[in-house]
Amino acid sequence: FFRHWPGAAPEMRPPFLGHRVELGVCGGILAGVILHASFIRWWRQRRRGLEDSGPAPPDPDAMGPQELQPTKPFTGSPSAGAISSRFLTRKWSQKGSFRAEDVCAQSIRNPSATRLAALTVPSKSSKYVLVMVGLPARGKSYIVRMMMRYLRWVGIKAELFNVGNYRRKSGMAAVSAKFFDPSNQDCQKQREELASFAQDDMYRWLRDQDDVAVGILDATNTTAHRRTRILARSRQEENITVFFVESICDDAKILERNYRMKLNNEDYRHQDPVVALSDFKERVRKYELIYETVSDSEDEGNICFIKIFNVGEKITTRNCAGYLPSQVAFFLMNIHISPRRIWLSRHSESVDQVRGLLGRDSGEVSADGEKYASELAQFIKRRTAEFSDEHHSNEDKSFEGDKLIVLLGTQAVHQSTAKYLSQLPEVEVVRTSLLNELRGGEFDGM
């Protein structure tokens, strides 16, 4: 290498290296330096282009839910799979609340990816108002209780504001049907004031929440005028999304059962049942005089609503875009009022368990395991028959207890456990790997 270097000693010049080898090595070094410099320049230009191209990504905390809707198809954005892997994996805080800041920061640089994330990940500052609509005894409070359990279970704060409770707490617990007469202007004014008090408390609670929260306004809200006032009140707040859930019921048996259940609340608890039932039905007729179902034209055609018929028989949705309204709509599609029972059981004892082997998937059960599988089927057959006879004697048409669904894993021992159950009439067997036992890892089969 030093053969032609000025001042190099002759003994440092390797005689076995020719001019061609020296020029090739020097050329390779030079090409490497040029390639490295070119790569650095390209990388810096790419980073600068990513930072300067397009509008700055929106700040989810400073925007309302409507601003986060996608307005154009993705162009030049990462693949759907890449975006999904970054945004569809939801992270939760130690308290179980949803944290929008856990979205991958690198992907947020891409505005298209940000818009997709907005559909999946609600902003921390997003607040929702769920407004119930419907005549009395249509199952509104029943639906509300189920929704609150569901929302809290998935980590979203939810609070109920029932206008009827405000009326009862103000000393009007046992008012007659005349209080709900739409022609009674004084009572109408009182009902509007009670609704305003409930909304004020609801928005005060929402403002105090530092994460995604849902305030539920439980009242009849049977007129378009009342719903317009609710929407106008919501626009006085920031980051509020309002959607309505209307419960419609025309099943006579369900209504009669709901009417009798109403006799246990504070309005009729200490009254004669016959008189109380007559007064409550008169209250319903007062509401029917002014009842207006939620229509597509309300809120200038922008209204968001979910209609549920006969407590789960049919669902209609409109403008239910976004994470939370979609989740509520999906949940309501799966609710029911039919009584049912759930049994939980371990699988039968396998021969591997007797031998002390861990994890191996074998369908061979022990003598005790075979006996357990047989007695399990007999127990389920006996209990389902008792349950079915009880409800058929009451002529309960909503009863679905004749259907038996067996959920089991995909391992062979699960099939052996359910072989007698699968022989029972009206049995549906559903297999899922979610019910398989955890694998033994390195000790599997040992």
Side-chain angles (χ1 to χ4, degrees):
F1 292 100
F2 301 95
R3 187 169 183 174
H4 298 289
W5 191 266
E11 60 272 13
M12 295 183 63
R13 302 173 183 171
F16 54 84
L17 290 178
H19 289 283
R20 294 183 179 179
V21 176
E22 298 168 16
L23 290 175
V25 172
C26 293
I29 295 174
L30 180 61
V33 172
I34 294 174
L35 181 62
H36 178 71
S38 301
F39 176 78
I40 293 298
R41 181 181 179 185
W42 171 82
W43 178 251
R44 289 175 178 173
Q45 289 178 347
R46 184 178 181 276
R47 291 187 59 186
R48 190 180 301 112
L50 285 174
E51 294 173 357
D52 297 339
S53 62
D59 179 12
D61 291 337
M63 299 177 62
Q66 297 297 330
E67 296 178 68
L68 295 174
Q69 303 297 329
T71 57
K72 59 182 180 180
F74 300 119
T75 56
S77 61
S79 66
I83 296 176
S84 299
S85 64
R86 292 171 179 171
F87 289 103
L88 300 186
T89 301
R90 303 192 296 272
K91 297 183 179 179
W92 304 82
S93 67
Q94 294 179 353
K95 296 180 180 179
S97 300
F98 197 87
R99 299 193 304 171
E101 66 269 21
D102 286 331
V103 177
C104 179
Q106 182 177 359
S107 298
I108 285 293
R109 290 181 178 177
N110 188 294
S112 299
T114 304
R115 289 193 293 270
L116 179 60
L119 294 177
T120 317
V121 181
S123 168
K124 283 181 61 179
S125 59
S126 296
K127 303 295 186 296
Y128 295 86
V129 171
L130 192 157
V131 182
M132 296 303 299
V133 178
L135 293 169
R138 261 56 182 180
K140 295 188 299 299
S141 297
Y142 174 77
I143 294 171
V144 162
R145 287 194 297 270
M146 289 193 296
M147 283 194 298
M148 286 189 63
R149 286 198 302 266
Y150 172 71
L151 291 172
R152 290 173 175 175
W153 179 67
V154 299
I156 296 176
K157 298 177 182 177
E159 193 66 31
L160 172 63
F161 299 87
N162 184 288
V163 177
N165 290 339
Y166 280 79
R167 171 176 57 81
R168 286 183 278 269
K169 290 178 180 178
S170 63
M172 295 181 286
V175 294
S176 67
K178 296 179 181 180
F179 181 80
F180 304 95
D181 189 341
S183 62
N184 190 329
Q185 296 299 322
D186 292 336
C187 294
Q188 174 72 17
K189 183 178 179 180
Q190 287 181 299
R191 296 200 304 273
E192 292 293 343
E193 289 177 351
L194 292 169
S196 297
F197 293 154
Q199 291 180 75
D200 290 342
D201 289 346
M202 178 179 64
Y203 288 116
R204 189 178 301 111
W205 177 81
L206 286 172
R207 285 192 296 268
D208 292 339
Q209 307 309 308
D210 56 0
D211 213 324
V212 180
V214 181
I216 302 177
L217 183 63
D218 186 11
T220 55
N221 301 314
T222 49
T223 65
H225 175 71
R226 167 71 74 84
R227 295 190 289 269
T228 300
R229 294 189 60 176
I230 291 174
L231 290 168
R233 175 65 180 85
S234 70
R235 295 187 177 102
Q236 300 176 17
E237 307 291 329
E238 296 181 356
N239 298 319
I240 296 293
T241 299
V242 179
F243 61 103
F244 297 85
V245 175
E246 181 176 10
S247 180
I248 300 173
C249 183
D250 55 8
D251 189 304
K253 289 189 175 297
I254 296 178
L255 289 176
E256 189 64 28
R257 182 174 56 191
N258 290 350
Y259 289 162
R260 296 191 178 280
M261 289 177 62
K262 283 291 185 179
L263 303 184
N264 296 323
N265 68 16
E266 296 182 18
D267 287 342
Y268 300 107
R269 185 173 298 168
H270 304 294
Q271 297 185 22
D272 179 81
V274 177
V275 176
L277 182 60
S278 175
D279 183 83
F280 182 76
K281 289 183 176 181
E282 179 63 22
R283 179 194 299 190
V284 175
R285 285 190 287 270
K286 299 292 186 184
Y287 274 106
E288 289 175 339
L289 295 174
I290 58 172
Y291 177 43
E292 298 171 309
T293 185
V294 182
S295 65
D296 296 351
S297 60
E298 293 185 35
D299 193 25
E300 299 180 353
N302 298 315
I303 191 166
C304 168
F305 65 76
I306 304 169
K307 290 187 180 183
I308 178 169
F309 297 82
N310 292 328
V311 198
E313 184 178 284
K314 183 176 72 172
I315 297 288
T316 302
T317 65
R318 187 177 191 276
N319 286 339
C320 289
Y323 175 78
L324 195 121
S326 301
Q327 290 292 311
V328 171
F330 175 77
F331 173 74
L332 292 177
M333 283 191 289
N334 292 278
I335 67 172
H336 63 86
I337 58 173
S338 173
R340 58 188 68 186
R341 291 182 179 179
I342 299 175
W343 291 280
L344 303 177
S345 171
R346 290 290 307 274
H347 63 70
S348 295
E349 182 185 60
S350 66
V351 173
D352 286 345
Q353 286 178 308
V354 177
R355 295 174 179 172
L357 298 179
L358 176 67
R360 194 167 70 95
D361 185 13
S362 172
E364 185 180 3
V365 297
S366 65
D368 288 340
E370 186 74 17
K371 182 179 179 182
Y372 178 82
S374 176
E375 292 189 357
L376 175 64
Q378 294 301 318
F379 169 81
I380 296 297
K381 180 180 179 180
R382 183 172 62 256
R383 297 301 296 271
T384 51
E386 295 173 357
F387 195 46
S388 178
D389 292 342
E390 176 185 347
H391 287 273
H392 281 308
S393 62
N394 296 331
E395 297 182 355
D396 186 358
K397 291 186 177 181
S398 66
F399 176 65
E400 300 177 357
D402 292 334
K403 302 175 183 178
L404 178 62
I405 300 177
V406 179
L407 302 174
L408 68 157
T410 58
Q411 294 176 322
V413 68
H414 297 151
Q415 317 303 321
S416 300
T417 305
K419 67 179 181 180
Y420 296 109
L421 281 171
S422 59
Q423 297 173 7
L424 298 178
E426 296 291 332
V427 171
E428 178 183 357
V429 177
V430 179
R431 297 175 176 86
T432 171
S433 60
L434 296 174
L435 295 177
N436 290 347
E437 291 185 354
L438 296 177
R439 290 184 57 82
E442 296 294 332
F443 298 98
D444 190 40
M446 297 178 61

